[in-house]
Every structure is written in structure tokens, then in C-alpha cells.
Amino acid sequence: SEYQAWIDGLAAGIGNAKAVVLVEPDGLGIIPHYTSITGATEWCQPAELDPATAANDRFVQLNYAVDALTALPNTAVYLDGTHSAWLGSGDMAHRLVLAGVERADGFFVNVSNYERTERLEKYGTWVAKCIHYGTNDAEGGWRLGHFHWCASQYYPADPKDFSTRVLT
């Protein structure tokens, strides 16, 4: 309820003014008690949060922010897609979908880090394609939710060798 009140206050402050909101830089890179698409457990595990509900609660908060802010008539809303040296594109695409990116104006990358533009362009393209791939049922739905099938900077490419990124 405190988070929703804060978002409501932000929305009231913006009102009808023109605004671009970058929702919570690094907010999707670290989700308490989250289990990734590869089965990896998030290192962030605050004792005061319920491990069974913490990740879902966080996504509920982010969806609330997307819905409240996109309801404003002159506000563009973007979610954080982290950067090319952090999460794989499939994991990031999955997190973005769970946070409501399909109702937002898009996502941004590299707000709190520095990665080379060519790497970010490739990464952002992979994430966008993976969002489409994991949410599109044009081929009978067999790929829906299979974000782990998306190529990334980690598979089959080598994250230390940009020249291998043509493999994805």
C-alpha cells in the first residue's frame, strides 16, 4: 500500500503535464526471492519478505506503476531492461513481460551502467525479439512462455567476445 501511495502521488504530481518516466532503474535486475527462467535463485533475499510471495508482490507493484502512469494523458512510461553485461536477453524479456512492458511505451537499457553502444543495440534487439517470441502465439502457441529458448549474449555467443554475437 505504501508503494501504491507513492506511485499515486507521483501520478498526481505529473497530472496532465508532459513527462517521460523511467520506472525504477535497476528495479527489474534485482527481484527479491526471484527464481529466473534458468532456475537460478536471486541473491537478494531479505529476511523480512516472504520467499513464497516476494517476487510476485514485486511484479504486482511494477504493474501498478505501469498502469497508473500510462493512464496519464501525456506521460510515456518505460521499464528497465538493465544492460548487456547483466542478465541474459531471455531472462530480461521474461521479467519485462511480468512487469507489464506490453502496456508500457517500451523499455530502456544502460541507465545505471556503461556498456558500449553496439552491445546495447544488439542486447535491446534481442530482448525486444524475445518479448515478441515469448508472447506471440502466431504459430499455434508452442513457443508461448519459452523465453529460455531465446538467443542471448551468453548463448550461443561468448559475452567476452563481441564478434561471436552474430551467432544469436
Side-chain angles (χ1 to χ4, degrees):
S1 62
E2 291 175 12
Y3 184 86
Q4 291 179 355
W6 192 92
I7 293 296
D8 290 344
L10 175 64
I14 294 171
N16 290 329
K18 287 186 178 183
V20 175
V21 178
L22 303 179
V23 177
E24 293 195 46
D26 291 342
L28 281 172
I30 303 169
I31 302 289
H33 296 284
Y34 179 72
T35 301
S36 76
I37 61 171
T38 62
T41 303
E42 180 67 53
W43 61 266
C44 179
Q45 299 181 5
E48 67 274 11
L49 298 180
D50 180 352
T53 62
N56 185 62
D57 293 346
R58 188 70 182 105
F59 287 114
V60 167
Q61 290 175 333
L62 291 165
N63 275 276
Y64 185 86
V66 167
D67 292 341
L69 297 168
T70 58
L72 300 173
N74 299 308
T75 300
V77 179
Y78 297 88
L79 289 167
D80 182 20
T82 69
H83 58 82
S84 61
W86 192 348
L87 301 173
S89 60
D91 192 17
M92 191 68 255
H94 184 245
R95 291 174 189 223
L96 283 163
V97 168
L98 291 176
V101 73
E102 294 171 292
R103 296 183 321 280
D105 292 285
F107 65 93
F108 60 92
V109 296
N110 209 41
V111 75
S112 65
N113 198 288
Y114 176 78
E115 293 296 321
R116 295 179 63 148
T117 300
E118 63 186 354
R119 293 172 189 252
L120 295 166
E121 288 174 346
K122 188 84 157 169
Y123 179 70
T125 299
W126 289 332
V127 171
K129 286 182 176 183
C130 192
I131 289 169
H132 174 76
Y133 181 88
T135 60
N136 187 330
D137 67 354
E139 296 180 26
W142 64 269
R143 63 187 184 186
L144 282 175
H146 288 285
F147 297 95
H148 60 287
W149 290 351
C150 296
S152 76
Q153 71 275 37
Y154 301 113
Y155 178 80
D158 178 344
K160 296 177 184 156
D161 182 359
F162 188 73
S163 69
T164 67
R165 295 188 184 194
V166 297
L167 300 172
T168 56

